[in-house]
Every structure is written in C-alpha cells, then in structure tokens.
Amino acid sequence: MLNRTPRHLAIIMDGNGRWANKRNLSRSEGHNQGTRAARSIVEEVRRLEIPYLTLYAFSRENWARPREEVSFLFSLLGRFIQGELQSLIKQDIRLNILGELDELPMPTRKVVNHACSKTKSCSSMNLNLALNYSGRHEIVRACKAVMQKGLSPDDLTEEVFSEYLYTAGQPDPDLIIRTSGELRISNYLLYQSAYSELYFTPTLWPDFTPQELRTALEDFATRQRRLGRVESI
Ligand code: IPE
Ligand code: IPE
Ligand code: MG
C-alpha cells in the first residue's frame, strides 16, 4: 500500500488528439481510446480506496473546437456513461457533474441526469466529471449565487464561499495530474487547487495506465506539504 494517498485526485486528461495524430488516426479515435484509459483509471482509483476522483472531460473553452468534434465528444460521452452505469453501481461509485449541464445537448443531459440519480446512494467513491466546466465561470457563478442569497459581507468566509462551488461538501484536490506534457492548469478547479500538488507527465492520455498512476501517487507520497507552515504536515 502506498504510504500517503490523496483523498481527492483530479486529472486533466489531455493528449487524445496527439495520440491519434501520431498513428494517422482520426481525433475521434483518440477520444475513443481516451475513454478506455478513463475506465481503467476509475477502477484503479476505486481499488486504491481514494474517495474522490475528478476527471476533466470537457471545458467551456472546448466549444471553440470544430462542431463535428464537439458533437462527437458529447455522443461518445453519452455512450460512455450509459455503458459504465452498471459497473459504477457495482463498484458503489457515485457520479457527480461539475459544470453547466443546462448548456449541453438534451440527450447528453438525460443520460447524465439518469446516471447521477441511479448512483446517488453509492458511497464508496465519488467520481466527478468536469463537464462544460470553467474554473473562472464557477467562481463568478458562486458570487452571483451569494449575492442572490443576500448574504452579508461579514458572513462570507472562505468556507461559506466554497459551499457555492460545484464541489460543495468535498475536500480540495490534494493532487492534480496532467498528461500530454502541457504545463498549465487550463481553467481547472481554480479555487480548489490553492494548495494542490501538481504532477505533469508527457504521456498522452490514451497511454496513461494504472501503473503510471501508481508512479504519480508514489511521487505524491514523497511531497512535503507545508501549507504555509515551517514544518510539513
Ligand atoms: C483531451 O485531449 C480531451 C479533451 C480536451 C476533450 P485533446 O483533444 O485536447 O488532445 P490534444 O491536446 O489535441 O492532443
Ligand atoms: C483541457 O485540455 C480540458 C480537458 C482535458 C477536457 P485542453 O486541450 O482543452 O487544454 P488546452 O487548450 O491545451 O489548454
Ligand atoms: Mg488538449
């Protein structure tokens, strides 16, 4: 067993397109293979008893991609969630969505809402899909909700504010992994990642294996998290 495992692991699953390009395959094929990697990582995280996993599936900025790619991604996502539903229930995994569901195509919304409600009482692990997600949008949205509630400035604390985020009630990510060699956050969990450890790997997402996840977790276990203090915790 690993020495110290995160409670909340978040992943930026990047590099599907480049994986396909390298093989002269379509970007769609890269996304297809990406879902296989996602399935095996979810299973591994469940085995490792990490209670929160957040996967970045689609950013609000991703709408700027060609229309065919966007619609392929949503249909793939719908098929993926539908195909995984029984397995999620069996593994006792609760599915949550972080993002603006209302802006998604109706068939995707239906599948997603169905899967969320079917897994509502699962409690061994939380799987968050960041879907139509933007960290800045999430913060602005939370500000609007706070204002609408009529909260007085004196009552607004960091803890109260975090209850207005999509991740309300969840711990902040301890570790964020990004695949594909890009060294950026791309609008992911901006508020929640204040003290997250970051791990970057050149591996393209479809090639990311449970073995490599374990390597990342071993690296995480050696990190000294000081949270501003002199000594590590
Ligand atoms: C990540 O792979 C999947 C999504 C963003 C939906 P990309 O599609 O970004 O792949 P690259 O970065 O072009 O290789
Ligand atoms: C981040 O990847 C979003 C997802 C993995 C869903 P992108 O490929 O969209 O990020 P950039 O454009 O390289 O920053
Ligand atoms: Mg990318």
Side-chain angles (χ1 to χ4, degrees), residues 13-19 27 31 56-59 62 65 69 73 178 180 182 204-205:
M13 310 183 289
D14 196 17
N16 293 351
R18 278 163 283 167
W19 183 94
R27 290 181 63 84
H31 295 312
Y56 207 173
F58 190 86
S59 74
N62 288 146
R65 294 187 177 201
E69 178 167 350
L73 280 169
R178 180 171 191 145
S180 91
E182 306 297 351
L204 301 173
W205 176 250

Side-chain angles (χ1 to χ4, degrees), residues 99-114:
E100 287 308 302
L101 253 193
D102 293 355
E103 295 169 358
L104 297 185
M106 192 46 105
T108 312
R109 269 153 70 178
K110 278 196 175 148
V111 173
V112 163
N113 284 330
H114 177 70

Side-chain angles (χ1 to χ4, degrees), residues 35-53:
T35 61
R36 290 169 174 260
R39 179 183 302 117
S40 64
I41 293 304
V42 169
E43 287 173 2
E44 182 69 2
V45 168
R46 173 71 181 82
R47 269 195 292 275
L48 291 167
E49 299 180 7
I50 296 171
Y52 296 88
L53 171 66

Side-chain angles (χ1 to χ4, degrees), residues 4-12 50-56 98 128 130 133 138 162 165-177 185 188-199 217 220 223 225 227 233:
R4 194 163 55 98
T5 49
R7 272 185 83 200
H8 186 168
L9 167 67
I11 305 183
I12 303 176
I50 296 171
Y52 296 88
L53 171 66
T54 301
L55 298 178
Y56 207 173
L98 315 184
N128 297 323
Y133 176 85
E138 178 183 36
S162 60
L165 300 172
Y166 298 122
T167 46
Q170 302 193 11
D172 288 338
D174 302 292
L175 173 65
I176 299 180
I177 296 176
I185 287 296
Y188 197 37
L189 303 171
L190 294 184
Y191 188 88
Q192 300 89 333
S193 63
Y195 268 102
S196 303
E197 296 292 327
L198 306 176
Y199 183 91
L217 293 173
F220 171 79
R223 307 271 182 106
R225 302 187 77 196
L227 309 183
I233 57 159

Side-chain angles (χ1 to χ4, degrees), residues 46 84-93 119 122 124:
R46 173 71 181 82
E84 293 306 303
L85 182 54
Q86 286 316 314
S87 161
L88 290 177
I89 294 170
K90 209 166 134 208
Q91 295 177 86
D92 198 32
I93 299 175
T119 59
C122 296
S124 295

